[in-house]
Amino acid sequence: MIVKDSEKTSDISKGLVLLMATVCGFTVANVYLNQTLLVSMSATFHISAASIGIIATLAQIGYALGNLLLVPLGDIFERKKLILFLLFAICIVLALNALSINKTWMMVTSLALGIVTVVPQIIVPLAANIASNHNRGKVLGNVAIGLVCGILGARLVSGFIDVHFGWRMVYWTSAVATLFMIFLVYVYFPRSKGGNATSYKHLLMSLGPLFIKERALQKACVSQGMMFASFSAFWTTLVFLLHTHPYSYGSDMVGVIGLVGIAGAFATPIIGRLIDIKGEKFASLLCMSISLLAFIGLIRGGYWLPGLILGALLITVGTQANQVACQFTIFQLGEEKRSRLNGLYMVSTFLGGSLGSYVGLLAWTKWQWNGVCAIAILMIAISCCSLIPMNILRKMIGNLMNKKGSNM
């Protein structure tokens, strides 16, 4: 079966949506495997915990590069073949990660793994094209369940395997799982055809003008970029918090908290339905409010395990549901450019994630947990500004500057 980009059917099967969510989850997990393994890797390579943190940052930078360079190909190439090619590449890079002998090797392979692990961002536009206009939010919300489960489930599985079999076995296990995903995609995924008969060079050259032209895309990039930065700051530093007083837990405890956070994945279909009814701006404001309240509570509640677990749940709900709202917004800009729109959007999202990981580690080094929460609150505040209309924002900034000038 060939599904053309111009088709909008309402009969996308639940089984296909489930499979898309599963493949998204298993592949996106590869970007996050290393976050739970940082302490073990630092011991293997005999370097400090702060120094090994660059590996988590590089994986997310690689993911941003993959979104910029590879995801737009979905607008010109048959998506099923592109997905299969990338899944094979993921298997190879995972093996190279498992064979790492020093920090430099691990840095290079982590960057490469991030680049090729962009399969979910090719699947999401495919799902949006198949879904009808009236249920697109619901479909995107259901596919997003896989993304959230992959992001948080990676910490659960990698933490368990690390404690019992070592961090290298985590990558070998993921490689085997990816081989199984290749079989499922080959058998069950529909074929599709991109709508642009253009060269790769012209495709990439169109990204800049597209970003400049679409204000809705710019706002979505800022919104989710900062939300995901706060999310990454939390999860990257959580392993260090749990290794210190009053917890003194192992890396497997991060996975347990991640398992609780997975419950937040099931809020994304609810947000999807809310988008279909109330609109994406209302949904985004709700998501930002949830994450903001969670970090405010974690300033004190982060040192109390039930409070930490509740915070992890709310942060997951807020961040991942906001992603669905933002993607719904940009997919309304035109189906013939959805892969490019999604690529640009995810570039900003994971650049924000890499920024959050890096700044979060710096905040932890200097100010410990309270510093991490303060940085995250600032990031969410910036995200909230993206909802303010540009003319009102300019007026607010102008009034603030005039008031400051008069005081001087």
Side-chain angles (χ1 to χ4, degrees), residues 289-365:
S289 300
I290 290 171
S291 289
L292 183 62
L293 291 174
F295 276 110
I296 292 173
L298 281 171
I299 293 176
R300 297 294 295 272
Y303 296 99
W304 180 49
L305 187 58
L308 186 63
I309 291 172
L310 178 61
L313 175 63
L314 294 178
I315 290 167
T316 302
V317 170
T319 304
Q320 299 305 321
N322 188 65
Q323 176 165 312
V324 175
C326 289
Q327 283 180 317
F328 182 91
T329 300
I330 64 174
F331 287 158
Q332 301 301 104
L333 301 176
E335 65 179 69
E336 75 284 351
K337 51 189 176 184
R338 279 185 182 144
S339 287
R340 283 171 290 167
L341 290 167
N342 197 49
L344 288 168
Y345 167 73
M346 294 309 300
V347 166
S348 66
T349 297
F350 279 87
L351 283 178
S354 62
L355 175 66
S357 294
Y358 181 72
V359 176
L361 284 168
L362 287 180
W364 172 264
T365 301

Side-chain angles (χ1 to χ4, degrees), residues 34-45:
N34 54 39
Q35 291 186 0
T36 310
L37 309 177
L38 292 177
V39 174
S40 297
M41 289 178 180
S42 65
T44 299
F45 300 136

Side-chain angles (χ1 to χ4, degrees), residues 55-282:
I55 290 176
T57 301
L58 284 172
Q60 294 190 54
I61 290 175
Y63 197 80
L65 287 173
N67 274 280
L68 180 65
L69 301 175
L70 300 180
V71 170
L73 291 173
D75 282 340
I76 58 175
F77 290 136
E78 199 277 301
R79 287 191 176 103
K80 181 176 178 178
K81 288 183 179 179
L82 182 59
I83 291 168
L84 287 170
F85 173 80
L86 289 174
L87 288 173
F88 276 113
I90 289 169
C91 285
I92 295 172
V93 180
L94 282 169
L96 292 174
N97 271 267
L99 296 171
S100 295
I101 58 175
N102 54 45
K103 176 188 172 183
T104 302
W105 183 318
M106 197 68 196
M107 288 170 61
V108 173
T109 54
S110 294
L111 179 66
L113 184 60
I115 291 173
V116 296
T117 310
V118 291
V119 169
Q121 306 315 322
I122 298 171
I123 292 176
V124 169
L126 176 60
N129 284 350
I130 299 173
S132 63
N133 290 329
H134 74 273
N135 73 342
R136 184 169 292 120
K138 178 182 176 182
V139 169
L140 291 175
N142 286 329
V143 173
I145 290 178
L147 287 169
V148 182
C149 290
I151 291 170
L152 298 179
R155 297 178 175 92
L156 173 66
V157 176
S158 63
F160 176 83
I161 296 176
D162 176 37
V163 168
H164 293 89
F165 305 102
W167 64 266
R168 297 182 190 275
M169 184 56 66
V170 173
Y171 290 99
W172 289 122
T173 303
S174 184
V176 173
T178 304
L179 287 173
F180 183 59
M181 291 300 106
I182 290 173
F183 170 75
L184 293 177
V185 170
Y186 179 78
V187 174
Y188 295 108
F189 262 42
R191 290 186 294 138
S192 67
K193 184 176 176 61
N196 293 290
T198 185
S199 66
Y200 180 60
K201 177 181 177 181
H202 287 94
L203 189 74
L204 292 182
M205 290 178 64
S206 70
L207 295 178
L210 182 63
F211 182 80
I212 294 171
K213 175 184 176 183
E214 302 291 356
R215 286 291 179 88
L217 174 62
Q218 295 170 18
K219 291 184 177 182
C221 288
V222 173
S223 174
Q224 187 61 10
M226 288 295 97
M227 286 287 284
F228 201 65
S230 65
F231 178 87
S232 294
F234 173 83
W235 286 105
T236 302
T237 57
L238 180 61
V239 65
F240 299 110
L241 174 65
L242 292 176
H243 273 79
T244 59
H245 180 78
Y247 295 114
S248 300
Y249 291 127
S251 57
D252 53 342
M253 189 60 186
V254 180
V256 173
I257 295 178
L259 180 62
V260 175
I262 287 177
F266 295 92
T268 53
I270 298 173
I271 292 294
R273 296 185 187 98
L274 187 64
I275 292 168
D276 291 331
I277 299 170
K278 292 281 189 178
E280 61 274 16
K281 287 186 178 179
F282 176 84

